[in-house]
């Protein structure tokens, strides 16, 4: 949902201070209810509360804007709170007019965070967002559940919401989910906030070619479903035991996700053992209505509504249109047992977050001094610096060796517009800094000119005249182009992967000046082929949406105050890809003229997943590793309930910094081999780590952790299987070192995937 933003923004200025209260477990009528008894078990506490509710009250509490029950002192609770990369505008998040709850730290978009390939960093970001979010809740400015993270893998470059995700690789998305959920929910038995992994499942397009997410039926093979679309949710539910999952708008193989018993019951609650009642499933907003209204899967709204609750959705997010809970109840389609099940799950999730514990909650003391801390602001900057990817750097043009006061032309639509760096699903950051602001702050003389985002009605000469005037006064030209959120966002997919014509024209004019020319690209990937070929363009950097301090991050890298080490978390496709494959075709594997998707199957990218240049020269190599491992021994030694989570002997890697600058290095280990159900010459990510601060002339070593599941493949039924064979492990993109090892013995099923009925 995006349309609410304007509504929420208006509300924020009308609603005075506190809009939200915790239950009063000391003096209120609820104090005598067992839900307030901290010595009882969470499920006893939730059960006592549900038992005290009348049927009418029950029905008013399985919706997003839950009414509570004033009769017994249960306050209203609104489940819709957002915090994708910082506390964000949403119906129940308020930004006050005055400090301290007027602004929250805004990190880069998740796609750029993923480009750091640093799980520990992601977890620290989650920890800060979780602290700020709970402080928000403690002081009445939000609820204590938040609809983050978005863990649908970025399947197609045109998807408008891809930058909300950690990229196209299912293993990377899963590791991001693990780190982010751990950070957000905190480190005590109580949850600091209830995190929500979304959108379950297969929600990775908005509105394209006559279909929308509200009526789309995603046809997904069991192999792709288990291996790709559901892997991050397995991490969230089974391994991270996240507090909440959001079911998606779209249908999967004919059944709308929120009415999908196979997804919500068979896989989520049974196969992944997400059984305890301390978690719940919320619907995306209007997804319950969509079952009848857009999927036509039910004969009435009431029937569609009942199907969702019966299948395992526990809360209906109503927005501009509503589901029909009263109708479902009156017609006997929705029983009290099912309503109680939903209430028990939802209230127990709140019990687990200390909602009924007042000052005794483990997180009751989080407050304004935990918001916008210097540590948080440093981390927002560091995350952007660490994520930004250097895509071209001919003749080591970057870093620019700028003398104090150097004249720099800063041209393009976001050169001096600080509102552009934030990205979607944002709140109100304490500040936003454009590149021009940062350059002036560093003492340079900036000559700025704006530029077009998309095609513009103005004659190209209009932009060009200003730009050339700025460039002529300068010794260096920095061009800030790419896409802003008007080109790709919620309810908006792209049709083209080309650089906008108006920007190419402007760049063409600038390239005629024979001055160092650096392109810094905002937003999602574009086909850079032409820019990579143009000799006049010396360097290209991709900055995604770099967050509140994005301008500073860019200038630190351009001046060499920091060294780039981010890697692409997505494939950069040629523009022709958009004609070769419909966005709505979910298949990942190539067949005939169908080119396949992601680096695993699409082999001719412009720049590959994992690509990224440095200011120094790294030489990576493998250390010693076992030449052969027995599958049966690995499995026999494994003591975890889920064998795919058992560790493999770590991969030993070494990297020498043979250049002149200190830099981080992201070690990426891919695996390939031909085994299993398909000849499989294609590589998959197996392990990665970010090695920090490697000094010139020194070596760094690391043990990359990986698990049996990272080596396994999914067969056509979705089973996770470890196959015998020769495995090639490859370091880096493009490959800089290889190593082989043998898995011996018989194939072993690590996880038997449940078949749909
Ligand atoms: C938050 O939700 C509560 C309960 O639904 C409501 O009373 C309050 O107005 C909401 N706050 C905002 C800012 O919408
Ligand atoms: C499944 O969850 C239950 C309840 O939390 C737990 O007792 C059991 O050990 C879990 N099973 C596995 C295989 O983890
Ligand atoms: C506010 O938070 C700070 C830092 O976490 C803590 O030291 C202080 O005790 C808190 N104050 C209150 C009133 O909870
Ligand atoms: C170019 O067009 C924009 C938007 O119409 C306008 O604001 C600006 O003044 C024009 N610049 C020149 C140099 O004509």
């Amino acid at each position: 949902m995006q349309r609410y933003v304007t509504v929420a923004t208006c509300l924020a200025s009308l609603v005075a201070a506190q809009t939200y209260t915790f239950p009063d477990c000391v003096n209120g009528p609820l104090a005598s209810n067992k839900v307030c008894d901290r010595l009882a078990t969470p499920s006893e506490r939730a059960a006592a509360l549900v038992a005290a509710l009348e049927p009418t009250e029950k029905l008013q509490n399985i919706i997003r804007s839950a009414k509570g029950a004033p009769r017994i002192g249960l306050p209203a609770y609104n489940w819709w709170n957002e915090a994708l990369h910082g506390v964000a505008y949403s119906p129940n998040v308020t930004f006050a007019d005055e400090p301290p709850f007027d602004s929250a730290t805004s990190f880069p978009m998740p796609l750029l965070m993923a480009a750091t390939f640093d799980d520990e960093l992601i977890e620290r970001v989650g920890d800060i967002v979780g602290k700020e979010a709970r402080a928000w809740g403690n002081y009445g400015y939000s609820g204590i559940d938040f609809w983050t993270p978005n863990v649908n893998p970025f399947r197609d470059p045109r998807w408008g919401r891809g930058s909300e995700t950690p990229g196209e690789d299912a293993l990377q998305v899963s590791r991001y989910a693990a780190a982010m959920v751990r950070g957000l929910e905190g480190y005590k038995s109580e949850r600091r906030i209830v995190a929500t992994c979304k959108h379950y499942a297969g929600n990775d397009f908005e509105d394209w070619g006559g279909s929308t997410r509200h009526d789309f039926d995603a046809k997904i093979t069991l192999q792709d479903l288990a291996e790709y679309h559901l892997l991050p949710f397995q991490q969230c539910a089974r391994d991270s035991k996240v507090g909440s999952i959001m079911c998606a708008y779209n249908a999967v193989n004919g059944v709308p996700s929120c009415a999908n018993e196979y997804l919500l019951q068979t896989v989520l609650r049974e196969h992944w053992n997400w059984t305890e009642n301390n978690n719940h499933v919320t619907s995306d907003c209007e997804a319950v209505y969509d079952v009848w209204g857009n999927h036509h899967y039910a004969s009435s709204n009431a029937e569609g509504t009942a199907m969702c609750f019966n299948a395992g959705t526990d809360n209906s997010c109503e927005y501009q249109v509503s589901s029909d809970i009263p109708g479902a109840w009156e017609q006997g389609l929705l029983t009290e047992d099912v309503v109680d099940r939903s209430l028990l799950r939802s209230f127990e999730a709140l019990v687990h977050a200390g909602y009924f514990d007042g000052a005794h909650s483990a997180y009751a003391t989080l407050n304004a001094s935990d918001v916008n801390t210097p540590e948080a602001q440093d981390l927002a900057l560091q995350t952007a610096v660490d994520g930004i990817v250097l895509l071209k750097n001919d003749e080591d043009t970057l870093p620019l060796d700028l003398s104090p006061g150097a004249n720099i032309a800063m041209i393009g639509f976001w050169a001096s517009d600080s509102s552009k760096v934030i990205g979607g699903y944002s709140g109100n950051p304490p500040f936003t800094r454009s590149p021009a602001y940062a350059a002036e702050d560093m003492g340079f003389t900036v000559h700025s000119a704006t530029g077009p985002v998309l095609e513009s009605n103005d004659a190209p000469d209009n932009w060009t005249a200003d730009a050339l005037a700025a460039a002529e006064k300068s010794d260096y030209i920095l061009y800030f182009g790419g896409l802003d959120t008007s080109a790709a966002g919620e309810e908006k997919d792209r049709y083209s992967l080309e650089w906008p014509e108006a920007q190419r024209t402007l760049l063409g004019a600038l390239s005629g000046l024979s001055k160092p020319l650096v392109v810094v690209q905002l937003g999602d990937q574009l086909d850079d082929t032409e820019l990579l070929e143009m000799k006049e363009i010396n360097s290209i950097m991709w900055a995604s949406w770099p967050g509140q301090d994005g301008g500073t991050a860019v200038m630190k890298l351009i001046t060499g105050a920091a060294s780039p080490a981010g890697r692409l978390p997505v494939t950069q496709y040629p523009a022709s890809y958009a004609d070769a494959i419909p966005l709505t075709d979910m298949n990942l594997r190539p067949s005939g003229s169908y080119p396949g998707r992601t680096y695993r199957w699409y082999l001719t990218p412009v720049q590959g997943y994992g690509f990224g240049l440095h200011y120094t020269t790294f030489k990576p190599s493998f250390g010693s590793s076992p030449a052969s491992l027995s599958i049966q021994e690995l499995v026999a030694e494994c003591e975890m309930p889920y064998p795919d989570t058992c560790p493999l002997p770590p991969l030993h890697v070494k990297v020498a910094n043979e250049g002149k600058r200190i830099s981080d290095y992201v070690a990426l280990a891919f695996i390939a081999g031909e085994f299993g159900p398909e000849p499989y010459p294609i590589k998959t990510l197996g392990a990665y780590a970010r090695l920090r601060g490697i000094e010139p002339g020194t070596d760094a070593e690391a043990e990359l952790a990986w698990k049996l599941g990272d080596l396994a493949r999914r067969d056509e039924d979705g089973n996770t299987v470890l196959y015998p064979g020769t495995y090639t492990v490859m370091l880096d993109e493009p490959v800089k070192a290889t190593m082989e090892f043998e898995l011996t013995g018989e194939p072993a099923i690590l996880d038997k995937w449940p078949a749909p009925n």
Side-chain angles (χ1 to χ4, degrees):
M1 274 295 152
Q2 184 75 73
R3 283 165 290 180
Y4 64 78
V5 168
T6 32
V7 181
T9 313
C10 302
L11 271 181
S13 50
L14 294 177
V15 177
Q18 303 208 355
T19 55
Y20 179 90
T21 43
F22 281 81
D24 183 350
C25 269
V26 179
N27 300 312
L30 210 55
S32 57
N33 186 297
K34 198 173 191 173
V35 75
C36 288
D37 176 2
R38 283 178 292 115
L39 298 177
T41 66
S43 55
E44 287 167 351
R45 296 175 67 179
L49 181 66
V50 173
L53 297 173
E54 307 282 357
T56 335
E57 291 165 336
K58 289 181 177 176
L59 298 183
Q60 292 173 342
N61 284 286
I62 51 174
I63 51 175
R64 181 263 292 186
S65 183
K67 301 273 182 291
R71 182 181 60 85
I72 61 165
L74 180 68
Y77 184 82
N78 193 316
W79 289 87
W80 191 349
N81 305 279
E82 302 280 357
L84 178 69
H85 52 120
V87 175
Y89 286 113
S90 37
N92 224 203
V93 172
T94 304
F95 284 82
D97 290 336
E98 288 165 18
F101 290 103
D102 61 334
S103 66
T105 311
S106 196
F107 290 92
M109 284 299 269
L111 192 63
L112 196 69
M113 292 201 242
T116 67
F117 282 87
D118 186 339
D119 295 353
E120 188 259 344
L121 183 73
I122 302 302
E123 185 170 338
R124 278 162 61 208
V125 170
D127 188 38
I128 285 171
V129 175
K131 280 182 186 151
E132 294 196 356
R134 182 57 187 254
W136 234 256
N138 283 347
Y139 284 80
Y141 294 99
S142 73
I144 55 170
D145 77 288
F146 287 81
W147 291 353
T148 184
N150 183 340
V151 298
N152 296 116
F154 195 169
R155 172 182 60 90
D156 186 293
R158 291 162 287 186
W159 181 28
R161 297 182 74 180
S163 64
E164 292 180 29
T165 78
E168 74 183 25
D169 180 71
L171 171 62
Q172 192 190 357
V173 177
S174 302
R175 285 179 53 168
Y176 177 100
M180 184 55 84
V181 168
R182 203 159 49 230
L184 291 169
E185 293 196 336
Y187 305 91
K188 302 181 177 167
S189 58
E190 193 180 305
R191 289 192 182 102
R192 179 165 50 202
I193 60 167
V194 179
T196 306
C197 290
K198 67 189 185 185
H199 314 79
Y200 187 63
N203 180 177
D204 50 20
F205 99 106
E206 303 297 301
D207 185 341
W208 190 91
S211 297
T212 79
R213 57 187 183 169
H214 295 284
D215 56 30
F216 181 57
D217 178 18
K219 300 255 193 293
I220 308 178
T221 66
L222 272 189
Q223 188 178 32
D224 287 350
L225 192 67
E227 171 181 74
Y228 190 75
H229 298 277
L230 297 196
L231 195 70
F233 292 95
Q234 173 175 296
Q235 173 63 50
C236 284
R238 189 192 73 176
D239 302 326
S240 300
K241 304 191 189 313
V242 70
S244 172
I245 296 277
M246 177 184 286
C247 55
Y249 289 118
N250 56 280
V252 174
N253 297 331
V255 187
S257 297
C258 293
N260 198 315
E261 206 178 316
Y262 173 67
L263 287 177
L264 295 174
Q265 184 61 31
T266 311
V267 176
L268 177 62
R269 291 201 176 267
E270 291 167 17
H271 188 62
W272 292 337
N273 200 29
W274 203 56
T275 46
E276 290 178 83
N277 281 332
N278 66 15
N279 50 47
H280 87 147
V281 173
T282 185
S283 79
D284 205 338
C285 296
E286 296 178 356
V288 174
Y289 164 85
D290 284 343
V291 171
W292 164 74
N294 282 306
H295 290 292
H296 312 299
Y297 187 71
S299 59
S300 67
N301 196 6
E303 190 193 26
T305 303
M307 282 175 169
C308 292
F309 283 95
N310 291 335
T313 299
D314 300 313
N315 191 291
S316 172
C317 178
E318 318 287 28
Y319 188 55
Q320 290 171 333
V321 293
S322 293
S323 62
D324 188 7
I325 290 170
W329 176 263
E330 279 153 25
Q331 293 167 39
L333 303 169
L334 178 60
T335 64
E336 192 159 5
D337 282 353
V338 170
V339 172
D340 284 357
R341 181 180 73 180
S342 293
L343 290 168
L344 286 169
R345 289 170 176 167
S346 307
F347 284 123
E348 200 178 321
L350 290 178
V351 168
H352 265 267
Y355 183 64
F356 297 95
D357 295 343
H360 298 283
S361 161
Y363 295 106
T365 57
L366 285 168
N367 64 63
S369 60
D370 299 292
V371 175
N372 290 329
T373 61
E375 181 207 354
Q377 305 199 344
D378 289 351
L379 195 64
L381 173 58
Q382 188 199 329
T383 311
V385 168
D386 288 355
I388 290 172
V389 186
L390 182 63
L391 298 178
K392 177 181 187 181
N393 198 21
D394 282 0
E395 287 151 30
D396 295 334
T397 301
L398 290 179
L400 297 180
D401 188 13
L402 299 172
S403 50
N407 282 288
I408 318 175
M410 299 183 79
I411 295 164
F413 73 89
W414 65 287
S416 43
D417 182 350
S418 71
S419 71
K420 299 291 185 190
V421 292
I422 292 298
Y425 272 88
S426 297
N428 186 40
F431 53 79
T432 52
R433 291 181 183 146
S434 69
Y437 170 94
E440 277 166 4
D441 198 49
M442 290 172 169
F444 301 118
T445 307
V446 173
H447 305 285
S448 63
T450 188
V453 182
L454 299 175
E455 310 321 336
S456 129
N457 293 330
D458 290 324
D461 291 352
N462 171 315
W463 306 105
T464 310
D466 281 0
L468 287 177
E472 268 151 22
K473 283 183 249 171
S474 307
D475 300 313
Y476 304 90
I477 308 172
L478 306 182
Y479 176 73
F480 294 88
L483 298 176
D484 75 359
T485 47
S486 70
E490 189 147 9
E491 298 183 275
K492 184 152 193 168
D493 297 315
R494 285 189 287 162
Y495 281 84
S496 165
L497 303 175
E498 304 259 24
W499 273 84
E501 177 85 43
Q503 293 195 41
R504 280 188 283 162
T505 306
L506 182 49
L507 261 177
L510 295 173
S511 69
L513 296 181
S514 306
K515 296 185 180 184
L517 175 55
V518 175
V519 173
V520 190
Q521 185 188 336
L522 194 80
D524 286 335
Q525 290 301 305
L526 294 164
D527 175 357
D528 283 343
T529 306
E530 194 180 322
L531 278 59
L532 290 166
E533 283 167 1
M534 280 170 73
K535 282 195 311 294
E536 301 81 1
I537 294 177
N538 302 82
S539 307
I540 306 175
M541 247 182 205
W542 172 69
S544 177
W545 282 279
Q548 65 184 33
D549 222 352
T552 312
V554 165
M555 287 312 298
K556 283 188 81 164
L557 291 165
I558 284 180
T559 58
S563 299
R567 301 298 188 103
L568 287 180
V570 283
T571 298
Q572 187 189 112
Y573 295 88
S576 60
Y577 189 78
D579 304 320
I581 192 164
L583 178 48
T584 43
D585 191 324
M586 301 296 287
N587 286 306
L588 299 171
R589 288 165 164 76
S591 85
S593 64
Y594 185 82
R597 298 179 169 285
T598 83
Y599 75 92
R600 292 185 181 189
W601 296 284
Y602 181 77
L603 302 180
T604 51
V606 177
Q607 293 194 310
Y609 171 90
F611 183 79
L613 301 172
H614 301 97
Y615 289 165
T616 189
T617 309
F618 282 117
K619 185 156 185 262
S621 57
F622 285 104
S624 64
S625 292
S628 161
L629 292 167
S630 145
I631 292 177
Q632 273 62 43
E633 275 173 32
L634 285 170
V635 172
E637 285 162 11
C638 174
E639 284 171 1
M640 309 289 269
Y642 302 107
D644 56 286
T645 63
C646 270
L648 279 159
L651 269 176
H652 194 96
V653 300
K654 212 163 116 172
V655 57
N657 183 346
E658 297 183 337
K660 295 202 174 65
R661 281 181 180 267
I662 182 171
S663 176
D664 292 358
Y665 173 79
V666 171
L668 297 173
F670 296 92
I671 44 182
E674 289 191 28
F675 32 69
E678 53 192 339
Y680 208 98
I682 299 159
K683 60 185 190 180
T684 61
L685 186 63
Y688 62 85
R690 186 176 182 111
L691 284 56
R692 291 201 165 266
I694 309 170
E695 300 276 355
T698 69
D699 286 353
E701 293 185 32
E703 310 251 279
L704 308 188
W706 56 342
K707 305 180 304 259
L708 297 191
D710 302 337
L711 206 51
R713 306 292 188 205
R714 300 284 178 150
D715 70 14
E716 279 167 10
D717 298 324
N719 302 315
T720 307
V721 187
L722 207 48
Y723 291 100
T726 303
Y727 288 71
T728 305
V729 189
M730 297 167 294
L731 259 188
D732 221 327
E733 163 58 38
V735 177
K736 301 217 174 59
T738 61
M739 176 195 88
E740 283 193 349
F741 72 94
E742 204 76 35
L743 274 193
T744 59
E746 296 301 314
I749 295 188
L750 302 179
D751 181 61
K752 174 120 185 59
W753 190 253
N757 295 330

